[in-house]
Amino acid sequence: MAERRDVVIIGAGAAGMMCAIEAGRRGRRVLVLDHAKAPGEKIRISGGGRCNFTNIHAGPKNFLSANPHFCKSALARYSPRDFLDLVERHRIAWHEKTLGQLFCDNSAKDIIAMLLAEMKAVGAELRLSTAVSAVDHDGHSFRVVTENGVVEAASLVIATGGKSIPKMGATGFAYRIAEQFGLPLVETRAGLVPLTLDPATLAAHDGLPGVAVDVIARHGKTEFREAALFTHRGLSGPAILQISSYWREGEEIALHICPDVDFASVIAAARRQNGRQAMQTVLAEHMPKKLAQLLVNDLGINGSLAEQSGRSVEALIQKLRDWRMRPPGSEGYRTAEVTLGGIDTAALDSRSMAAKTVPGIYFIGEAVDVTGWLGGYNFQWAWASGHAAGQDA
Ligand code: FDA
């Protein structure tokens, strides 16, 4: 005999738990299944253990999707303020770090405990360490086959996330289910991911790993002003992670180093004051010494300021404004914070996240082709899309 519920949610991550709370609040009998031993593992490790749980500025412009309008409805109906109200009701202390990013003062585990308490309050049941081997639909109900038996439900919500960090149990399960039910997919790729550099560039960057600098990172017309970090494999840091979501393998990115500094004036003034100084000494007043050294070496600038030709100073200023690099690749899903692409939003109702062609099945969270910037936006999408499906499932 199969068990029966009104709603089965596969995936006890941010989106799945929010959906369970909202469906449970409507009096639906909800069961959440997850193959992991603990719920919300990505919440636990997020934001360096403090969970950047939302961004007060979150709006449709902060998301990438083949249809940039799709996310509008869900985001409008469940806002960062709504999630913050929930956080405050649970007396979880929080702070704004930068750029509207809200973090727990104490621990990301507070967010998981809050979601579990809300699920319990509405009677939503959670079953962990339960792998799902098959899903089918008999025209009336979904049958979810697990190693511990079969569960039937009128509504099935797929909240199993994307492919990032396979070591944490990411599986691509949602895409397989979408394919099984004939829903289209937008090609997936790693997003918010460090970029790699070729061996020759890395050799030239010897000594740079660990160095961080304020930049504007650009790809085409898209730009982000944050820190970039040189690593043993290439480039990371928030500015690089942000731009990586717009970049495609082999394409060029450009860095504007220390955009607040007018290097033309700085160099001209330094030359007037003391022409015997070395160029790297002047640059190093505004950036890490190792980076200043690399930049002058790269352009073959030797000797004192007074000895530099106008052309070599101009070349340096140009490089500081527009340092082009062509990363051959990224670190991939192993370290990516998110998966771009996923279930094609053309197949989903933007109000409810329900599949248009298969009544009763919903896709939410990172599995869907809606991907946020770095800075709390991806959780806001998980909450908002989970909330939208929870109102309907
Ligand atoms: P999520 O991946 O959270 O949950 C999916 C659940 O489904 C998991 O519990 C998994 O075990 C389960 N599952 C998968 N396959 C299954 C299967 N076959 N059967 C059963 N269960 C299955 N975002 C942000 O806004 N602020 C932040 O601070 C961070 N920080 C951050 C750090 C790191 C290191 C990473 C990797 C990611 C972030 N993110 C983030 C992104 C954020 O974590 C992510 O977008 C959300 O967790 C997505 O929520 P979902 O519920 O869609 O998937």
Side-chain angles (χ1 to χ4, degrees):
M1 268 281 283
E3 285 181 73
R4 247 207 107 76
R5 294 291 190 284
D6 296 320
V7 184
V8 167
I9 300 170
I10 308 179
M17 288 197 276
M18 178 56 85
C19 182
I21 293 163
E22 290 307 315
R25 218 192 289 291
R26 288 172 42 242
R28 305 284 277 160
R29 290 173 306 147
V30 178
L31 173 64
V32 185
L33 302 173
D34 201 300
H35 63 178
K37 286 198 198 97
E41 279 293 88
K42 280 200 182 158
I43 300 176
R44 186 177 58 79
I45 60 158
S46 68
R50 289 223 162 85
C51 186
N52 177 192
F53 55 80
T54 191
N55 191 299
I56 48 174
H57 305 306
K61 65 177 187 314
N62 308 113
F63 293 85
L64 292 87
S65 171
N67 175 5
H69 303 293
F70 178 82
C71 61
K72 287 180 177 171
S73 170
L75 290 174
R77 284 181 298 124
Y78 193 82
S79 69
R81 184 66 245 181
D82 290 323
F83 192 76
L84 193 53
D85 285 345
L86 183 61
V87 166
E88 289 179 340
R89 273 206 303 282
H90 284 258
R91 299 182 191 287
I92 296 172
W94 59 272
H95 61 279
E96 179 182 344
K97 199 167 173 188
T98 173
L99 304 170
Q101 300 168 7
L102 306 191
F103 285 76
C104 297
D105 283 0
N106 178 33
S107 164
K109 290 180 192 161
D110 294 345
I111 298 291
I112 301 172
M114 174 190 83
L115 296 167
L116 291 174
E118 289 283 317
M119 281 170 61
K120 195 169 172 204
V122 298
E125 191 188 334
L126 173 63
R127 202 169 289 168
L128 297 166
S129 302
T130 302
V132 173
S133 51
V135 167
D136 57 58
H137 190 226
D138 64 8
H140 303 287
S141 297
F142 289 92
R143 282 169 48 84
V144 179
V145 184
T146 77
E147 53 202 348
N148 309 317
V150 176
V151 194
E152 289 179 349
S155 297
L156 175 65
V157 182
I158 307 296
T160 48
K163 293 182 185 169
S164 8
I165 325 257
K167 242 169 65 185
M168 294 191 67
T171 55
F173 177 83
Y175 316 127
R176 286 205 299 281
I177 298 294
E179 275 174 346
Q180 180 188 334
F181 287 98
L183 305 189
L185 297 175
V186 172
E187 194 190 343
T188 56
R189 60 197 167 90
L192 300 180
V193 64
L195 300 178
T196 54
L197 293 172
D198 59 78
T201 310
L202 286 176
H205 285 189
D206 184 34
L208 274 194
V211 165
V213 64
D214 181 28
V215 301
I216 294 173
R218 265 197 308 269
H219 174 269
K221 288 189 177 141
T222 307
E223 55 180 48
F224 291 93
R225 164 83 190 262
E226 282 187 71
L229 173 72
F230 293 85
T231 71
H232 287 287
R233 293 193 193 88
L235 296 166
S236 187
I240 301 300
L241 299 186
Q242 296 281 32
I243 214 70
S244 74
S245 294
Y246 291 83
W247 164 93
R248 304 282 176 131
E249 223 153 270
E251 286 179 353
E252 204 172 59
I253 61 163
L255 300 184
H256 183 167
I257 307 290
C258 302
D260 285 338
V261 183
D262 175 358
F263 282 105
S265 307
V266 165
I267 293 168
R271 212 170 188 163
R272 280 195 303 275
Q273 279 159 17
N274 177 5
R276 280 170 307 175
Q277 294 178 83
M279 184 66 88
Q280 60 269 34
T281 312
V282 178
L283 297 186
E285 283 170 24
H286 301 277
M287 69 183 72
K289 216 166 155 179
K290 286 175 178 168
L291 179 58
Q293 189 67 56
L294 173 99
L295 287 162
V296 297
N297 288 353
D298 230 27
L299 293 168
I301 294 175
N302 298 306
S304 68
L305 279 184
E307 288 168 300
Q308 304 311 317
S309 68
R311 263 209 3 234
S312 68
V313 172
E314 192 39 54
L316 176 62
I317 290 166
Q318 177 59 23
K319 181 152 188 152
L320 287 162
R321 232 185 261 136
D322 191 25
W323 186 0
R324 305 280 177 108
M325 298 187 202
R326 199 179 284 281
S330 79
E331 290 190 8
Y333 293 118
R334 191 178 59 79
T335 60
E337 277 202 15
V338 284
T339 304
L340 290 147
I343 318 303
D344 190 336
T345 60
L348 305 178
D349 178 329
S350 64
R351 243 198 78 264
S352 63
M353 305 292 133
K356 289 176 182 168
T357 50
V358 187
I361 190 165
Y362 300 75
F363 290 84
I364 58 175
E366 197 178 316
V368 178
D369 172 34
V370 174
T371 307
W373 291 358
L374 185 78
Y377 301 99
N378 284 295
F379 279 136
Q380 188 55 36
W381 171 248
W383 314 134
S385 58
H387 177 268
Q391 302 297 307
D392 201 77

